[in-house]
Amino acid sequence: MEDGRILALLEQRNRDGLKELWKKYGTEMSSIAFGICQDRAEAGEAVNEALARVWDTVPPERPRELSSYVFLLTRESARRTVHRHHTGTMGDPYRMDEILLELGEVF
């Protein structure tokens, strides 16, 4: 399916837009995410996050080059996923409490 049609479906909030986006760009998205994450589960998480971001941002965004936009979101999501998984801040409420205490000392 052409990018213009995929964008039109997304703008109409039609979930078929995500399905078509996945059919067209899913392999490349997975490859980009795995290249950054080096872990299949983390790469899958990053791709899901990227798809959710596409859904949340189109509209109001209407990228001229859909593939570039999708791949950019995938790279950003993969980097965030790696950061979450490897900095000890993912889902750890005690670590978050420590961070908030440190911030309180700074401010």
Side-chain angles (χ1 to χ4, degrees):
M1 180 178 288
E2 292 182 20
D3 287 354
R5 181 69 183 126
I6 294 171
L7 283 168
L9 288 170
L10 292 170
E11 288 172 339
Q12 296 166 9
R13 309 310 291 160
N14 185 329
R15 292 185 187 269
D16 288 339
L18 284 179
K19 290 176 187 174
E20 293 299 328
L21 180 76
W22 176 251
K23 282 183 197 175
K24 188 167 185 177
Y25 296 118
T27 300
E28 292 91 341
M29 292 173 73
S30 296
S31 178
I32 290 166
F34 184 77
I36 293 169
C37 296
Q38 295 296 303
D39 178 88
R40 288 192 194 282
E42 288 179 21
E45 182 181 329
V47 168
N48 286 337
E49 181 181 314
L51 289 169
R53 289 187 64 205
V54 169
W55 182 257
D56 289 342
T57 59
V58 178
E61 297 292 324
R62 183 163 175 86
R64 281 184 268 162
E65 185 72 34
L66 182 59
S67 61
S68 296
Y69 185 70
V70 168
F71 298 154
L72 173 68
L73 293 180
T74 302
R75 280 190 299 276
E76 289 175 352
S77 294
R79 287 184 185 117
R80 271 196 303 279
T81 299
V82 168
H83 181 75
R84 276 194 309 269
H85 283 267
H86 299 281
T87 60
T89 59
M90 184 181 145
D92 185 348
Y94 300 107
R95 176 69 179 133
M96 186 56 71
D97 287 346
E98 291 173 22
I99 292 170
L100 292 174
L101 284 173
E102 290 175 17
L103 286 173
E105 292 172 9
V106 172
F107 295 105

